Amino acid sequence: MSSWSTVFVTGGAGYIGSHCIVELLDAGYSVIAVDNFANSVNGERGEAPSLKRVERITGKTVTFYQCDLLDKPRLEKIFSEHKIDCVIHFAAMKAVGESMQVPLLYYKNNIVGTINLLEVMKTHGCYQLVFSSSCTVYGNPDVLPITEEHHTGNVTNVYGRTKYFIEEMLKDISAAEKNWNIICLRYFNPVGAHPSGLIGEDPTKAFTNLMPYMAQVAIGNRPNLTIFGGDYNTVDGTGVRDYIHVMDLASGHVAALNKLKKEHLRLKVYNLGLGTGLSVLQLIREFEEVCGESIPYTMGPRRVGDVDSLVCDAGRALTELEWQPKYRIKTMCEDFWRWQTMNPNGYRGNSNNSASSENGRTSVIINGSELMDTDWAQLWEPFVQGGL
């Protein structure tokens, strides 16, 4: 087995990247992270607030650089200053709706940025890569659940096309150059937050995912939720998705690294999801039960590029990566509500004042019960050691 120690993480200050870094640090890796703050909050002096909290959770240090992958000379400089064993590539513009409005921005950022990264990796003899792909590469699927053998390319939105084009590019380079060892992870719909409540999803744009939008309504920061489309061919007319806890997704990346250590795959693709579909209205009801608040909504038109249902078959990852997701939808909702309650303004507010406090103890409502008996610092320890 290879003795890797240092992982380079692009988009490391983002939602999925920051949670993955927790798992990487806990697994014993050193992490060098970069981010241009296109999808994440920028702190003082170019610091990443999410990664400062990752350091609090793990008790370990993250080396961070503010860097855009379009800035190839800066990327080259970072690689020159560190011995990097493997890359996990998250960095991308990622909103389906926005991608249909500004396609050139998506093509340039996602595809050109990836080309720059691959060229710099090759220059420095680093050929180990885990690529953050997406279930959007499947388009509107013919059958459910979706296996990795389902055809790709009939993609319905620009964001998904950038992921598809990058996957095709990775196929070509791995076929042409035997040194490459690449795993593409096709995510379904990550939700939830680290159970400490310290890190979570903090959207920086109006184009946001469903769960943070719901939570903003439940906490009173928004008046109502807009559901995009109520006439899909689903159980209740709203879109059906396969939701996966972000910490399960993070553990999938560590499992992928372990696989690359053991085998020279050239290129392999894995789905990461639970294999259970939930409609928008069903997810709203689950979240209302957890937070004890009503989430009013209005029904809007479909978004261009959305599809009816996306549900995965993750059997290959379960078997070959020896990956096992732990969390179900109730825990996903609980963990995100904890994050939202402790941080109503995300990383841009003072977390000490973002939930009610008394004598250094924090009160958070979960399932109608007030958690106030234990300092959150004490609660973090079991979460860091083994999860719920």
Side-chain angles (χ1 to χ4, degrees):
M1 182 180 291
S2 303
S3 57
W4 297 351
S5 61
T6 303
V7 181
F8 183 77
V9 179
T10 73
Y15 172 47
I16 301 173
S18 59
H19 288 76
C20 181
I21 290 173
V22 170
E23 290 290 294
L24 290 170
L25 293 172
D26 284 346
Y29 291 101
S30 298
V31 174
I32 299 167
V34 296
D35 206 296
N36 67 354
F37 298 113
N39 298 317
S40 54
V41 176
N42 187 351
E44 297 178 1
R45 300 180 300 279
E47 295 178 341
S50 60
L51 297 183
K52 289 299 179 184
R53 296 192 185 191
V54 165
E55 291 178 337
R56 288 170 61 188
I57 291 169
T58 62
K60 298 177 181 178
T61 301
V62 179
T63 301
F64 176 74
Y65 297 93
Q66 184 173 349
C67 176
D68 193 313
L69 296 187
L70 296 177
D71 186 351
K72 190 176 178 182
R74 177 151 175 76
L75 192 59
E76 183 80 51
K77 186 173 185 294
I78 295 169
F79 268 74
S80 296
E81 293 175 353
H82 300 274
K83 184 185 181 303
I84 293 167
D85 299 304
C86 182
V87 172
I88 299 180
H89 181 28
F90 294 109
M93 306 291 287
K94 61 183 183 66
V96 168
E98 183 184 50
S99 76
M100 302 299 286
Q101 296 182 8
V102 286
L104 277 179
L105 176 65
Y106 272 67
Y107 287 124
K108 181 176 182 180
N109 186 85
N110 293 5
I111 296 176
V112 177
T114 300
I115 291 172
N116 286 344
L117 175 65
L118 292 170
E119 288 179 342
V120 171
M121 288 176 65
K122 181 178 177 180
T123 297
H124 290 272
C126 178
Y127 293 96
Q128 314 293 329
L129 173 67
V130 178
F131 173 59
S132 164
S133 192
S134 167
C135 62
T136 56
V137 301
Y138 293 118
N140 208 345
D142 299 329
V143 294
L144 295 175
I146 306 166
T147 70
E148 292 86 352
E149 305 309 318
H150 189 285
H151 63 81
T152 60
N154 188 24
V155 187
T156 60
N157 58 78
V158 172
Y159 162 70
R161 276 192 280 277
T162 68
K163 293 294 187 179
Y164 169 71
F165 292 151
I166 292 169
E167 281 199 11
E168 291 298 297
M169 184 166 58
L170 296 177
K171 285 181 189 176
D172 291 338
I173 67 168
S174 63
E177 303 173 30
K178 64 180 181 181
N179 289 336
W180 288 100
N181 198 22
I182 302 169
I183 286 178
C184 296
L185 297 177
R186 292 174 181 162
Y187 309 163
F188 281 66
N189 286 69
V191 295
H194 190 272
S196 67
L198 276 177
I199 59 173
E201 186 172 10
D202 184 9
T204 58
K205 299 180 180 179
F207 295 90
T208 186
N209 293 328
L210 177 59
M211 190 167 283
Y213 204 146
M214 284 194 307
Q216 284 287 301
V217 173
I219 207 167
N221 288 350
R222 293 176 181 263
N224 56 61
L225 172 72
T226 301
I227 298 175
F228 295 106
D231 59 348
Y232 288 104
N233 184 24
T234 62
V235 63
D236 55 24
T238 63
V240 169
R241 297 294 182 267
D242 188 341
Y243 296 97
I244 176 173
H245 198 295
V246 67
M247 293 308 297
D248 281 333
L249 195 62
S251 70
H253 289 78
V254 176
L257 286 183
N258 291 338
K259 184 71 170 177
L260 291 179
K261 281 183 179 182
K262 295 174 184 176
E263 296 182 41
H264 190 78
L265 304 168
R266 299 285 281 265
L267 177 71
K268 197 70 181 280
V269 174
Y270 295 94
N271 288 336
L272 291 184
L274 295 190
T276 303
L278 210 64
S279 75
V280 173
L281 289 177
Q282 289 170 332
L283 182 60
I284 289 173
R285 287 194 287 271
E286 291 279 354
F287 203 87
E288 286 178 331
E289 184 176 334
V290 164
C291 72
E293 302 288 342
S294 175
I295 301 175
Y297 62 85
T298 58
M299 199 66 70
R302 293 187 182 196
R303 291 185 304 189
V304 177
D306 275 343
V307 301
D308 293 13
S309 301
L310 288 169
V311 181
C312 97
D313 180 337
R316 179 186 289 180
L318 296 175
T319 302
E320 296 184 15
L321 298 183
E322 300 178 354
W323 170 72
Q324 187 62 53
K326 301 176 184 177
Y327 306 108
R328 299 297 160 181
I329 192 64
K330 181 180 178 182
T331 305
M332 300 178 206
C333 294
E334 288 174 345
D335 287 346
F336 197 88
W337 184 237
R338 184 181 298 110
W339 150 256
Q340 184 67 83
T341 309
M342 292 174 65
N343 306 271
N345 298 312
Y347 295 115
R348 287 156 284 199
N350 183 345
S351 63
N352 293 329
N353 297 326
S354 54
S356 61
S357 298
E358 181 179 326
N359 297 325
R361 300 181 186 275
T362 306
S363 170
V364 179
I365 306 298
I366 301 290
N367 274 341
S369 300
E370 186 175 30
L371 303 181
M372 197 170 175
D373 294 332
T374 310
D375 288 326
W376 281 99
Q378 292 175 294
L379 286 177
W380 298 335
E381 181 62 23
F383 296 145
V384 171
Q385 294 302 320
L388 293 177

